[in-house]
Structures are given as C-alpha cells and as structure tokens.
Amino acid sequence: MRKILVLGLLIVGVAVALVGASLSSGSSKPAGAMHVHQHATPAAPAGLAPLVADARFATARFATSLKRAKQAGYRTIVTQHIPDMGWHFMNPHITGFNVKKPPILVYVKRGHRWQLVAFEWVFTSRPDPDPLPGAQYGSFPAACHYVDGTFVPEDNQADCPPRSPISGAKFAFWHPDFVTLHLWAWYPNPDGIYTGMNPLIRPFN
C-alpha cells in the first residue's frame, strides 16, 4: 500500500513539473496539450454592425417564417436552393437600396421549416459609392427564370423558352447580367459577411 502511495506521489510530481516547465517556457498550454487550428473569420468593416442590427430588427418577423415573408410581398421565387447559398425570394415592389428592406431574402430549408439566412441586392453595374461599408460583390449572368424557381442562362429575353427546360414550369421573367451583393445578416459565414457562398450552408444542400 505504501509503495502504491509513493508511486502515485511521483506521478503527480512529474505532472506538476511538466506543467511548470510549459508555463515557464512562455506557453499558456500544458505540455502535451492538443493544438486546435481555428479558422479566422474576416473582421466586419467598421460601421457595419449597427446597420446589420437595424436590418435584423426590421426582418425579425421573417427569420423563421417564409409565410410571413410572402404575406409581406416576397412571393416571387428567383431560385430554388443554390448549393452553399440557399433559396431566393424577391419582393418586386422594393426598389432602390435600403438595408432594412432588402428586395431578396435568402432562405434554407429543412423538412417543412424555413430559416432566413441572408439578404441580396442586385444592380446592373457596381454601385458608386458602396451602399454598405466594405461591400464586396458577386455576379449573376443574364437568365430566364420560371415560376418554380428554375432558371437557365440566356443573353436575350427573346430566346427564353416558354417552359423551363428543367421542369416544364411556365416562364416568369428574364434579367440581364447583374452585380450581386449578399449580406449574411441571419447566419454566420466564416468566409466573410459579404461572400456569396457559405460553407456552413452545406448541411442544407
């Protein structure tokens, strides 16, 4: 029994010595501690945080209710689920730029439940000045869109098939080349708040 106690004390002593050596060497981690790599999220531009807060308060009623969004005018489905991005629903009556009234809401879906994740604005050319601090832009090519959210790239509206080549749905509208601005106001994006694609959306793909 005495030998076991002495052995236990020796083990504790060695462990304490290792921790002490680690701390004295300038490291804040004990010897043998596992190193975990953390993905650094790009810092939000100065001045953006209060605008995002205003946008979230203004759209909170839509956060988990696509039904409420449709009642408020977001009835036009622009796309079905785009991988790493989501479903796009547009209110065609919203024009101009207002961070509290985005024209397009981006949702993800699981089962019958919908969750708002981002906003999108589209422009025919890059805005000058930027409507949001540090804004970053993407693009969407000219396309024919159909009532079920399917779409096909097409440079001219006259060349749009009357029915979706994908699903057979009726033609809804055409648009020219667009500059796009995404804002991930309702879902974190480790690649940046303005980045079009979001790796955290992959479970919904």
Side-chain angles (χ1 to χ4, degrees):
M1 182 70 178
R2 188 172 182 178
K3 290 181 179 180
I4 294 175
L5 178 61
V6 171
L7 180 60
L9 291 174
L10 285 172
I11 292 173
V12 171
V14 170
V16 170
L18 287 173
V19 171
S22 174
L23 294 176
S24 65
S25 67
S27 171
S28 60
K29 296 181 181 180
M34 183 176 66
H35 175 71
V36 179
H37 175 72
Q38 294 182 338
H39 180 82
T41 300
L48 181 60
L51 298 176
V52 173
D54 288 344
R56 286 168 62 92
F57 277 117
T59 58
R61 65 191 186 280
F62 307 142
T64 57
S65 178
L66 177 60
K67 180 179 179 180
R68 289 179 184 171
K70 288 184 174 182
Q71 291 172 344
Y74 293 91
R75 298 186 184 91
T76 302
I77 180 171
V78 180
T79 76
Q80 296 184 7
H81 182 83
I82 295 177
D84 291 1
M85 189 179 290
W87 301 66
H88 295 66
F89 294 87
M90 178 176 67
N91 184 336
H93 301 295
I94 296 178
T95 58
F97 182 88
N98 184 336
V99 74
K100 297 180 182 179
K101 293 182 178 180
I104 298 173
L105 302 180
V106 185
Y107 280 83
V108 291
K109 180 184 180 183
R110 174 158 292 179
H112 297 290
R113 296 178 296 173
W114 295 84
Q115 180 179 341
L116 178 60
V117 293
F119 309 144
E120 185 178 7
W121 292 266
V122 295
F123 312 92
T124 53
S125 60
R126 177 168 173 163
D128 185 20
D130 293 332
L132 292 172
Q136 298 174 15
Y137 302 93
S139 62
F140 199 111
C144 313
H145 290 257
Y146 297 85
V147 295
D148 64 346
T150 56
F151 64 92
V152 292
E154 187 56 69
D155 291 335
N156 300 293
Q157 180 172 346
D159 296 327
C160 289
R163 295 274 180 175
S164 168
I166 300 169
S167 66
K170 292 181 179 180
F171 174 76
F173 65 93
W174 172 88
H175 66 74
D177 291 340
F178 276 150
V179 174
T180 60
L181 172 60
H182 277 84
L183 181 69
W184 292 89
W186 280 99
Y187 212 84
N189 187 344
D191 292 338
I193 196 167
Y194 293 127
T195 304
M197 300 298 182
N198 187 341
L200 298 185
I201 299 300
R202 280 174 199 159
F204 301 96
N205 287 349

